[in-house]
Amino acid sequence: MLGSFAVLRKQSLLGDAISHAALPGIAIAFLITGAKDSNVLLLGALVSGLIGTFWIRGIISKTHLKSDTALGLILSLFFGFGMLLLTFIQKQPNANQAGLDKYLFGQAATLIESDVWMMAIVTGICLFVLLLFWKEFKILLFDADYTKTLGFNTKFIDILITTFIVLAIVLGLQTVGVVLMSAMLLAPAAAARQWTNSLSVMVFLAAIFGAFSGVFGTAISATQNNLSTGPVIVIVASVFVLFSFVFSPSRGLLFKQIRFIKNRRDLQLHKTLAFMYNIVESHENISHPHAIKILNNFQGYTKGTLQKLVSKNYVTLEGSMWSLTEEGFKTASNLYSQQNDNNE
Amino acid sequence: MSSAQIEIQLIASLVAIACAIPGTFLVLRKMAMISDAISHSILPGIVIGFFMTQDLNSPVLILLAALTGILTVVLVEYIQKTGLVKEDTAIGLVFPALFSIGVIMIAKNANDVHLDVDAVLLGELAFAPFDRLIISGVDIGPKSLWIIGSILVITVGLLFVFFKELKVSTFDAGLAASLGFSPAIIHYGLMTVSSVTTVGAFDAVGAILVVALMIAPAATAYLLTNELKRMLIYAICFGVFSAIAGYWVAHWLDASIAGSITTMLGFIFLIVYLFAPSRGIIAVLYREKQQRTEVSLLTFLLHLKNHTEERERHVNHLNEHINWQKVRSKTVLDLALKNNMIQLDKNIVSLTEKGDEFTSKAIDYIITNEDAQIEDMKDDFFLFRG
């Protein structure tokens, strides 16, 4: 759901970076408390995710490094540091250390009831804040400068929205793990984007897509042995995206291709008609018959276009001769004047 | 230092060099995240290759993995070309999907073989010396040393042969195309080299470290220089230094070598990020502060120029009128005094001749916005430093 904002803000890969950056937070939280209390660990993840995010911001705004470099840099450095800490923890004499690496790949099956409640509560808060600041988020998303002139505290809104994205990611970590979290954030939103241009519909659709891929993914992974939940969910979400790419009515590839072909056909039809018109113009009688042969040299001409013209009543055929009808002549001359109009 | 230790450091350094070269170009071409995508999505290629050969070090495996890497790039570009989503979203969609396929393939089929996700992602440098390449009974060193060594030789060879082409196409794709180099070929060539390097290195150091070694040294070098050759050399030096230093940190902490090399890289980047002479945070903040003061000074002088009445030019009135805090207006006042721009007479401020001339020039520049005048102004502005 929050992914919609990430996608529209062109920060898609931020999710990936944050989920990696959360790792040292988990490790440090564990080192400090020495216990595997999931809430404390999540807090640590949240903090280090936020540090990562704002560092990325700092790099982009203060140096000439580009956003992709900053993302890749923070992602790999934080993750490497996290790994260092994890391996360091493994050497510590602490029985609790096992299972920390679950956060890497996530295990939806290991979730316990309290985790689920926690997630539900956080989701609820996210929803509430989203509704509360809906207008502000929306306006910041599409026209940041305008927002500033209106007197909103853009920095505050920005931080708020970033915090919630980080929060959502950190929560999701437990379920699908570090590597696949970015897909969970992106895929539903990217799929939803194909179906609508309206933000509210998009957020709603993204939530539905996300929920569906969660349910389906879990169901599929439950039917088979040895199939971890996270990857299956991601695959299902990817299928959703693919489906949306191909079949969405206004932006999808399929319909685009169909439109493209239709346009080309139309153009050919018009070209043939214009060519005929040119020939016919040189004669006084518009219905003067001409041989089909002379059309053969013309590029846009095919039997199909001729048939189409006949069926549209623009042309009549008599044996191997054709002639323009009254209607066809009119349309063709209009075609010309329209083109001239367009050119002017 | 035992021979195994030397070998580990040698491998790490070679990997660092091999990564730094394509990494520099990736950073300059704003495609750094592609390396992250490649390093994740080669997983299915590796898995398929492993099923075919049952050998983690066979060339087929590397070839297949490199192919998957290129497939990733092609897919990302295809999705991007449809115009449905932005490039970064395309990357974010492609690689988790491919990675998931890889993970599922491992989980379904390879549970009992020694190939698990952790090993692929994180690698283990410490075991690299134990996997030796033996040709006709003679032990000629660890396998990964040979693999990464040959990749490095190829990379360096390609770099020398195509240096000019790479340079031109990186900085001016249009010029490159008009000179007759195909940007597409260079692009895919670079991608192939990146994929092959990633694959060759992942076995030794893991996917994450590959990304870190590609991006971090190049980014650090980019903060220090603008020249391509120097940037390459800096990047290689940073890479090698953190590889060796990282090894000793890991040795001391008894932790993952890959992790500590990454941490060293991060540490170096942080230092450069803070203290780099002209691009570092401290330099940037200092410059911004200077510029703010200079802008204030300009505003102040303009105000003086516009008002001839004594009342408007009283020191206390200026504080209120331009709405600065006391300290701030004092700084600006001092600065102006020091540069002989103004003179104080019974708390009444007035412009000197020099200040007057300067202000007219500044107004001129603000109104006409001509570049020729900036150079002159810049010299003037540097006067105020210190």
Side-chain angles (χ1 to χ4, degrees), chain A residues 98-344:
Chain A
L100 267 186
D101 51 350
K102 282 252 168 58
Y103 283 92
L104 269 185
F105 296 102
Q107 258 321 331
T110 59
L111 291 178
I112 47 175
E113 203 175 327
S114 67
D115 291 339
V116 178
W117 276 113
M118 176 84 184
M119 278 186 195
I121 292 169
V122 175
T123 313
I125 297 173
C126 284
L127 258 181
F128 180 70
V129 173
L130 194 64
L131 286 177
L132 200 63
F133 289 97
W134 177 255
K135 200 178 57 196
E136 283 84 351
F137 282 164
K138 193 170 170 178
I139 198 169
L140 182 72
L141 195 60
F142 293 112
D143 198 339
D145 293 333
Y146 181 55
T147 322
K148 218 167 187 178
T149 59
L150 281 183
F152 287 112
N153 187 345
T154 46
K155 231 176 211 165
F156 172 72
I157 303 175
D158 202 35
I159 289 174
L160 193 70
I161 198 168
T162 313
T163 313
F164 274 100
I165 292 177
V166 176
L167 193 65
I169 290 168
V170 168
L171 270 183
L173 280 185
Q174 266 183 314
T175 327
V176 291
V178 164
V179 184
L180 303 174
M181 192 53 222
S182 70
M184 282 307 286
L185 195 68
L186 281 189
R193 176 69 188 91
Q194 309 311 321
W195 298 93
T196 176
N197 275 332
S198 139
L199 180 64
S200 47
V201 179
M202 177 173 161
V203 171
F204 186 65
L205 272 180
I208 290 179
F209 282 143
F212 260 105
S213 40
V215 171
F216 275 130
T218 321
I220 293 172
S221 88
T223 56
Q224 307 241 351
N225 286 334
N226 284 333
L227 221 52
S228 38
T229 327
V232 181
I233 295 179
V234 171
I235 298 270
V236 173
S238 304
V239 171
F240 266 120
V241 174
L242 194 69
F243 184 79
S244 308
F245 275 1
V246 176
F247 293 109
S248 115
S250 58
R251 291 162 63 101
L253 292 180
L254 186 68
F255 287 90
K256 208 190 234 170
Q257 195 63 34
I258 290 174
R259 250 197 326 270
F260 185 65
I261 292 172
K262 210 176 141 217
N263 280 346
R264 201 161 53 191
R265 281 223 189 103
D266 263 10
L267 194 66
Q268 269 176 359
L269 207 70
H270 284 162
K271 263 158 84 181
T272 316
L273 196 60
F275 185 66
M276 287 172 160
Y277 175 78
N278 273 353
I279 298 170
V280 169
E281 233 184 358
S282 56
H283 298 268
E284 295 211 346
N285 180 11
I286 48 165
S287 52
H288 180 82
H290 299 270
I292 291 181
K293 267 187 210 154
I294 55 169
L295 292 175
N296 280 350
N297 293 335
F298 186 62
Q299 201 192 355
Y301 164 76
T302 56
K303 275 210 170 116
T305 50
L306 199 62
Q307 282 301 325
K308 259 222 177 109
L309 286 172
V310 172
S311 69
K312 280 194 176 174
N313 235 351
Y314 290 165
V315 175
T316 50
L317 283 181
E318 277 170 45
S320 62
M321 308 294 270
W322 60 268
S323 54
L324 274 184
T325 61
E326 190 78 26
E327 203 185 339
F329 186 76
K330 241 187 232 161
T331 321
S333 59
N334 276 342
L335 200 67
Y336 253 122
S337 55
Q338 259 174 20
Q339 268 171 357
N340 286 340
D341 284 349
N342 288 344
N343 284 344
E344 276 162 14

Side-chain angles (χ1 to χ4, degrees), chain B residues 281-320:
Chain B
I281 278 298
I282 292 176
V284 168
L285 284 182
Y286 177 73
R287 197 163 54 226
E288 279 179 0
K289 190 167 163 272
Q290 283 295 323
Q291 278 163 356
R292 241 191 324 259
T293 318
E294 279 166 5
V295 169
S296 311
L297 177 75
L298 211 59
T299 323
F300 174 62
L301 292 178
L302 282 176
H303 181 82
L304 286 180
K305 200 177 158 69
N306 282 340
H307 293 283
T308 41
E309 318 88 306
E310 290 209 340
R311 196 176 57 83
E312 285 281 344
R313 302 205 315 244
H314 194 272
V315 171
N316 289 337
H317 173 77
L318 284 175
N319 282 349
E320 294 162 17

Side-chain angles (χ1 to χ4, degrees), chain A residues 25-88:
Chain A
I26 294 174
I28 291 173
F30 180 78
L31 270 181
I32 294 172
T33 60
K36 218 173 60 191
D37 179 13
S38 67
N39 292 348
V40 176
L41 294 184
L42 285 183
L43 199 67
L46 184 65
V47 170
S48 83
L50 279 177
I51 292 175
T53 317
F54 288 110
W55 200 7
I56 290 173
R57 288 276 175 79
I59 292 177
I60 295 172
S61 65
K62 296 286 184 224
T63 70
H64 63 167
L65 294 178
K66 298 296 177 302
S67 61
D68 63 316
T69 316
L71 282 171
L73 197 68
I74 297 300
L75 176 156
S76 51
L77 295 184
F78 270 61
F79 191 74
F81 184 54
M83 281 322 297
L84 178 73
L85 289 173
L86 273 192
T87 46
F88 181 68

